[in-house]
Structure formats: C-alpha cells, structure tokens
C-alpha cells in the first residue's frame, strides 16, 4: 500500500489510523531519512493507541515505553546503536514478543534480529511534489 500525504497533519492522521488498528504483539519498522516525518508519523500512531503523553524520539535511550494507552507502546530509535548486543542488553525480545506494539526507527541497522513477521513503513520525500509531500509505503513482511 502506498499513501501520499501533503502536510504533517496528514502524515500524523495516517499514523493515527495505523495505531487505531494496531494489535498486541505487532511490530512496525520505520525507515526514512532525517527530516522526513518519522516522529510526526510516530506521534500519530501513539495517538491512535490512545496515548496522550508527548512522544519524542528516544535517540539516546534506544527505547521509550508508554503504558497508559489501550496497549503498551515501545518506541525504539536505534540510530546511534553501535552493536546489536546493545539491543540484547535492554532485553529487546521482551518488547518485540510482548503484549504491546513496537515501532523501530532506523530498523535497517538491526535487520538481523528483526522478526520476519512485521510491517515495514518507509517514508520518502519528493521535493518535486512540494516541500511537505511524503510517500508512505506500507508492506507486510513474513505473512
């Protein structure tokens, strides 16, 4: 599925729809360059999970846990990870295979430990279409 958005609000709303449909144990991987709107999308997904708390990128902590929504939300940012062993140290399997929803930014950096069954979301800019244009591709993997 490919969705095109033309504003941060539309990107947020699409993320919110994904969050509203999310089920326990689902894993979403989020791929996109710096500044494409990954955080805006993630904020929408969290709102779809009925999380009211402010969502920011957990760049320095690897994972941020939000438990007050309809499902726990585990927001990973592995951009600064040096080695996959760092994921083992934080107990990533408890999150990936738990009862919450996991979203992993920069997931391509930990490809070898990702479950085969996941939803891959890629966000891309196309400046020819406008500054706020985003193409969001959603692919179900391992189904």
């Amino acid at each position: 599925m490919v969705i095109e958005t033309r504003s941060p609000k539309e990107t947020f709303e699409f993320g919110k729809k994904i969050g509203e449909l999310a089920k326990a144990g689902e894993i979403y991987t989020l791929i996109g360059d710096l500044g494409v709107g990954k955080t805006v999308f993630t904020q929408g997904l969290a709102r779809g999970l009925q999380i009211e708390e402010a969502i920011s990128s957990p760049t320095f902590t690897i994972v941020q846990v939000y438990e007050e929504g309809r499902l726990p939300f585990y927001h990973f940012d592995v951009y600064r990870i040096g080695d996959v062993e760092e994921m083992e140290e934080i107990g990533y399997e408890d999150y990936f295979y738990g009862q919450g929803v996991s979203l992993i930014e920069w997931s391509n950096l930990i490809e070898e430990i990702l479950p085969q069954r996941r939803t891959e979301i890629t966000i891309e800019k196309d400046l020819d279409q406008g500054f706020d244009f985003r193409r969001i591709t959603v692919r179900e993997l391992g189904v």
Side-chain angles (χ1 to χ4, degrees):
M1 165 179 26
V2 177
I3 301 293
E4 295 178 348
T5 65
R6 301 196 177 277
S7 70
K9 181 177 181 350
E10 287 181 13
T11 300
F12 178 93
E13 289 299 324
F14 182 63
K16 183 178 175 186
K17 285 181 186 175
I18 298 284
E20 289 169 347
L21 298 172
K23 296 178 182 72
E26 289 185 331
I27 297 174
Y28 296 88
T29 58
L30 191 53
I31 300 165
D33 293 334
L34 289 169
V36 297
K38 293 186 301 293
T39 300
V40 170
F41 176 88
T42 301
Q43 290 167 339
L45 190 143
R47 186 59 50 88
L49 290 170
Q50 300 172 359
I51 294 170
E52 300 295 327
E53 187 176 342
I55 304 294
S56 60
S57 193
T59 301
F60 296 102
T61 59
I62 301 178
V63 65
Q64 182 69 44
V65 177
Y66 303 90
E67 294 188 352
E68 78 282 358
R70 74 177 172 82
L71 292 169
F73 178 48
Y74 312 126
H75 180 200
F76 291 83
D77 183 331
V78 298
Y79 182 72
R80 297 190 189 285
I81 200 164
D83 191 301
V84 173
E85 288 181 13
E86 291 179 54
M87 291 294 290
E88 292 172 6
E89 290 171 12
I90 64 164
Y92 78 92
E93 289 178 326
D94 292 338
Y95 298 110
F96 284 10
Y97 303 106
Q99 292 303 305
V101 173
S102 295
L103 182 137
I104 307 148
E105 295 187 43
W106 302 98
S107 59
N108 53 307
L109 299 175
I110 59 166
E111 188 78 33
E112 62 268 29
I113 64 169
L114 292 175
Q116 287 197 348
R117 185 179 181 114
R118 63 185 185 268
T119 302
E120 180 183 86
I121 300 168
T122 303
I123 304 177
E124 302 168 291
K125 288 183 188 182
D126 183 347
L127 294 177
D128 292 338
Q129 299 278 342
F131 182 77
D132 288 327
F133 176 86
R134 299 296 184 267
R135 180 175 297 108
I136 305 172
T137 305
V138 180
R139 294 182 351 162
E140 299 292 329
L141 303 177
V143 179

